Amino acid sequence: VQLQASGGGLVQAGDSLRLSCAAAGHTNSIYSMAWFRQAPGKERVLLGHITWTAGKAYYKDFVKGRFTISRENAKNTGYLQMTNLKPDDTAVYYCAAAAASSFPDYNYWGQGTLVTVSS
């Protein structure tokens, strides 16, 4: 499975942004797609994930209410919708995918897309 993340950029605090993650290859093996982020000088953290077939999303508490994960199976694409962005949301955002046999270990990773939130 190959993943291509896109949609990052420079936004202002309070803005919204939607990231996309296009999957290619053996997409029928995807059980879960997750979004992570890594802020400068910090470790990469999980934001949440969505089950690929059922479309049920799970979130870490610190993004609940602001971030929404979705997917569009027909396009083999996952999304991370972010609202009310804050400067602390500045990070490289990664999508990742896991097969059922490896979940919750994510074996497939996109290249990351940079989101910069100015105050």
Side-chain angles (χ1 to χ4, degrees):
V1 176
Q2 298 83 46
L3 303 175
Q4 178 79 32
S6 62
L10 174 63
V11 297
Q12 293 187 331
D15 284 351
S16 298
L17 194 65
R18 189 178 78 162
L19 307 182
S20 300
C21 181
H26 293 120
T27 57
N28 58 358
S29 68
I30 298 175
Y31 169 74
S32 167
M33 178 177 281
W35 287 91
F36 295 76
R37 73 183 183 189
Q38 186 167 19
K42 296 187 178 180
E43 294 187 352
R44 187 164 57 193
V45 296
L46 173 66
L47 304 177
H49 76 97
I50 188 166
T51 55
W52 198 244
T53 300
K56 185 166 177 57
Y58 303 85
Y59 302 93
K60 289 295 190 180
D61 286 345
F62 65 91
V63 299
K64 282 182 180 178
R66 290 199 303 128
F67 290 7
T68 302
I69 297 173
S70 62
R71 92 283 182 255
E72 193 169 353
N73 292 114
K75 293 185 177 181
N76 287 322
T77 300
Y79 303 98
L80 176 65
Q81 176 71 48
M82 303 182 289
T83 62
N84 190 24
L85 283 162
K86 309 174 188 301
D88 284 348
D89 294 318
T90 294
V92 177
Y93 285 73
Y94 298 90
C95 58
S101 57
S102 67
F103 180 82
D105 293 327
Y106 289 87
N107 307 98
Y108 308 103
W109 290 82
Q111 82 287 7
T113 185
L114 176 63
V115 174
T116 303
V117 184
S118 64
S119 57

Coordinates of all heavy atoms in Angstrom, one line a residue, residues 48-83:
G48 N -5.8 10.0 15.7 CA -7.0 9.2 15.6 C -6.9 8.3 14.4 O -5.9 8.4 13.7
H49 N -7.9 7.5 14.3 CA -7.9 6.5 13.2 C -9.3 6.2 12.8 O -10.3 6.5 13.5 CB -7.1 5.3 13.5 CG -7.8 4.3 14.4 ND1 -8.5 3.2 13.9 CD2 -7.9 4.3 15.7 CE1 -9.0 2.5 14.9 NE2 -8.7 3.1 16.0
I50 N -9.5 5.6 11.6 CA -10.8 5.3 11.1 C -10.7 3.9 10.5 O -9.7 3.5 9.9 CB -11.3 6.3 10.0 CG1 -12.7 6.0 9.7 CG2 -10.4 6.3 8.8 CD1 -13.4 7.1 8.9
T51 N -11.7 3.1 10.9 CA -11.7 1.7 10.3 C -12.2 1.9 8.8 O -13.1 2.6 8.5 CB -12.7 0.8 11.0 OG1 -14.0 1.4 11.1 CG2 -12.2 0.6 12.4
W52 N -11.4 1.3 7.9 CA -11.6 1.6 6.5 C -12.9 1.1 5.9 O -13.5 1.8 5.1 CB -10.4 0.9 5.7 CG -10.2 1.4 4.4 CD1 -10.3 0.8 3.2 CD2 -9.8 2.8 4.0 NE1 -10.0 1.6 2.1 CE2 -9.7 2.8 2.6 CE3 -9.5 3.9 4.8 CZ2 -9.3 4.0 1.9 CZ3 -9.1 5.1 4.1 CH2 -9.0 5.1 2.7
T53 N -13.4 -0.1 6.4 CA -14.6 -0.6 5.8 C -15.8 0.0 6.5 O -16.7 0.5 5.9 CB -14.6 -2.1 5.9 OG1 -13.5 -2.7 5.2 CG2 -15.9 -2.7 5.4
A54 N -15.8 0.0 7.8 CA -17.0 0.4 8.6 C -17.0 2.0 8.7 O -18.1 2.5 8.9 CB -17.0 -0.2 10.0
G55 N -15.9 2.6 8.6 CA -15.9 4.1 8.6 C -16.1 4.6 10.0 O -16.5 5.8 10.2
K56 N -15.8 3.8 11.0 CA -15.9 4.4 12.4 C -14.6 5.0 12.8 O -13.5 4.4 12.7 CB -16.3 3.2 13.4 CG -16.5 3.7 14.8 CD -17.2 2.7 15.6 CE -17.4 3.2 17.0 NZ -18.2 4.4 17.1
A57 N -14.7 6.2 13.3 CA -13.5 7.0 13.7 C -13.3 7.1 15.2 O -14.3 7.1 15.9 CB -13.6 8.4 13.1
Y58 N -12.1 7.1 15.6 CA -11.7 7.2 17.0 C -10.7 8.3 17.1 O -9.8 8.5 16.2 CB -11.1 5.9 17.5 CG -12.0 4.7 17.3 CD1 -12.0 4.0 16.1 CD2 -12.8 4.2 18.3 CE1 -12.9 2.9 15.9 CE2 -13.6 3.1 18.2 CZ -13.6 2.5 16.9 OH -14.5 1.4 16.8
Y59 N -10.8 9.0 18.2 CA -9.9 10.2 18.4 C -9.2 10.3 19.7 O -9.8 9.8 20.7 CB -10.8 11.5 18.2 CG -11.5 11.6 16.9 CD1 -12.8 11.1 16.8 CD2 -10.9 12.2 15.8 CE1 -13.5 11.2 15.6 CE2 -11.6 12.3 14.6 CZ -12.9 11.8 14.5 OH -13.6 11.9 13.4
K60 N -8.1 10.8 19.7 CA -7.4 11.2 21.0 C -8.2 12.4 21.6 O -8.7 13.2 20.9 CB -6.0 11.5 20.8 CG -5.1 10.3 20.4 CD -5.0 9.3 21.5 CE -4.0 8.2 21.3 NZ -3.9 7.3 22.4
D61 N -8.2 12.4 22.9 CA -9.0 13.4 23.5 C -8.6 14.9 23.1 O -9.5 15.7 23.0 CB -8.8 13.3 25.1 CG -9.6 12.1 25.6 OD1 -10.5 11.6 24.9 OD2 -9.3 11.7 26.8
F62 N -7.3 15.1 22.9 CA -6.9 16.5 22.7 C -7.3 17.0 21.3 O -7.2 18.2 21.0 CB -5.4 16.6 22.9 CG -4.5 15.9 21.9 CD1 -4.1 16.5 20.7 CD2 -4.1 14.6 22.1 CE1 -3.3 15.8 19.8 CE2 -3.3 13.9 21.2 CZ -2.9 14.5 20.1
V63 N -7.9 16.2 20.4 CA -8.4 16.7 19.1 C -9.9 16.6 19.0 O -10.4 17.0 18.0 CB -7.7 16.0 17.9 CG1 -6.2 16.3 18.0 CG2 -8.0 14.5 17.9
K64 N -10.5 15.9 19.9 CA -11.9 15.7 19.9 C -12.6 17.1 19.8 O -12.3 18.0 20.5 CB -12.5 15.0 21.1 CG -12.2 13.5 21.0 CD -12.8 12.8 22.2 CE -12.5 11.3 22.2 NZ -13.1 10.6 23.4
G65 N -13.6 17.1 18.9 CA -14.4 18.4 18.7 C -13.8 19.3 17.7 O -14.5 20.2 17.2
R66 N -12.5 19.2 17.4 CA -11.9 20.1 16.4 C -11.5 19.3 15.1 O -11.5 19.9 14.0 CB -10.6 20.8 17.0 CG -10.9 21.8 18.0 CD -9.7 22.7 18.2 NE -8.5 22.0 18.5 CZ -7.3 22.2 17.9 NH1 -7.2 23.0 16.8 NH2 -6.3 21.5 18.3
F67 N -11.1 18.1 15.2 CA -10.6 17.3 14.1 C -11.6 16.2 13.8 O -12.2 15.6 14.7 CB -9.2 16.7 14.4 CG -8.1 17.6 14.5 CD1 -8.3 19.0 14.5 CD2 -6.8 17.2 14.6 CE1 -7.2 19.9 14.6 CE2 -5.7 18.0 14.7 CZ -5.9 19.4 14.7
T68 N -11.8 16.0 12.5 CA -12.7 14.9 12.0 C -12.0 14.0 11.0 O -11.4 14.6 10.0 CB -14.0 15.5 11.4 OG1 -14.6 16.3 12.4 CG2 -14.9 14.3 11.0
I69 N -12.0 12.7 11.2 CA -11.4 11.8 10.3 C -12.5 11.1 9.5 O -13.5 10.7 10.1 CB -10.5 10.8 11.0 CG1 -9.3 11.4 11.7 CG2 -10.0 9.7 10.0 CD1 -8.6 10.5 12.6
S70 N -12.3 11.1 8.2 CA -13.3 10.4 7.3 C -12.5 9.7 6.2 O -11.3 9.8 6.1 CB -14.3 11.4 6.8 OG -13.6 12.4 6.0
R71 N -13.3 8.9 5.4 CA -12.7 8.3 4.3 C -13.7 8.2 3.2 O -14.9 8.2 3.4 CB -12.1 6.9 4.6 CG -13.0 5.7 4.5 CD -13.9 5.5 5.5 NE -14.7 4.3 5.4 CZ -16.0 4.4 5.0 NH1 -16.6 5.5 4.7 NH2 -16.7 3.3 5.0
E72 N -13.2 8.1 2.0 CA -14.1 7.9 0.8 C -13.6 6.7 0.1 O -12.6 6.8 -0.7 CB -14.1 9.1 -0.1 CG -15.2 9.2 -1.1 CD -15.3 10.5 -1.8 OE1 -14.6 11.5 -1.4 OE2 -16.1 10.6 -2.8
N73 N -14.2 5.5 0.3 CA -13.7 4.3 -0.2 C -13.6 4.3 -1.8 O -12.6 3.7 -2.3 CB -14.6 3.1 0.2 CG -14.5 2.9 1.7 OD1 -15.4 3.0 2.5 ND2 -13.3 2.5 2.2
A74 N -14.6 4.9 -2.4 CA -14.6 4.9 -3.9 C -13.3 5.6 -4.4 O -12.9 5.3 -5.5 CB -15.8 5.6 -4.4
K75 N -12.8 6.5 -3.6 CA -11.6 7.2 -4.1 C -10.3 6.7 -3.4 O -9.2 7.3 -3.6 CB -11.8 8.7 -3.8 CG -12.8 9.4 -4.7 CD -12.9 10.9 -4.4 CE -13.9 11.6 -5.3 NZ -13.9 13.0 -5.1
N76 N -10.5 5.7 -2.5 CA -9.4 5.2 -1.8 C -8.6 6.4 -1.1 O -7.4 6.4 -1.1 CB -8.4 4.4 -2.6 CG -8.9 3.1 -3.0 OD1 -9.6 2.4 -2.2 ND2 -8.7 2.7 -4.3
T77 N -9.4 7.2 -0.5 CA -8.8 8.4 0.1 C -9.3 8.7 1.5 O -10.5 8.5 1.7 CB -9.1 9.7 -0.8 OG1 -8.5 9.5 -2.1 CG2 -8.5 10.9 -0.1
G78 N -8.4 9.0 2.4 CA -8.8 9.4 3.8 C -8.6 10.9 3.9 O -7.9 11.5 3.2
Y79 N -9.3 11.4 4.9 CA -9.3 12.8 5.1 C -9.1 13.2 6.6 O -9.6 12.4 7.5 CB -10.6 13.5 4.7 CG -10.9 13.3 3.2 CD1 -11.8 12.3 2.8 CD2 -10.2 14.0 2.2 CE1 -12.0 12.0 1.5 CE2 -10.5 13.8 0.9 CZ -11.4 12.8 0.5 OH -11.7 12.5 -0.8
L80 N -8.5 14.3 6.9 CA -8.4 14.8 8.2 C -8.9 16.3 8.1 O -8.2 17.1 7.5 CB -7.0 14.8 8.8 CG -6.8 15.4 10.2 CD1 -7.6 14.7 11.2 CD2 -5.3 15.5 10.5
Q81 N -10.1 16.5 8.6 CA -10.6 17.9 8.6 C -10.3 18.5 9.9 O -10.6 18.0 11.0 CB -12.1 17.8 8.4 CG -12.8 19.2 8.5 CD -12.5 20.1 7.3 OE1 -12.6 19.6 6.2 NE2 -12.1 21.3 7.6
M82 N -9.6 19.7 9.9 CA -9.2 20.4 11.1 C -9.8 21.7 11.1 O -9.8 22.5 10.1 CB -7.6 20.5 11.1 CG -6.9 19.2 11.0 SD -5.1 19.3 11.0 CE -4.8 20.1 9.4
T83 N -10.4 22.1 12.3 CA -11.0 23.4 12.4 C -10.4 24.1 13.6 O -9.8 23.5 14.5 CB -12.5 23.2 12.7 OG1 -12.8 22.4 13.9 CG2 -13.2 22.4 11.5

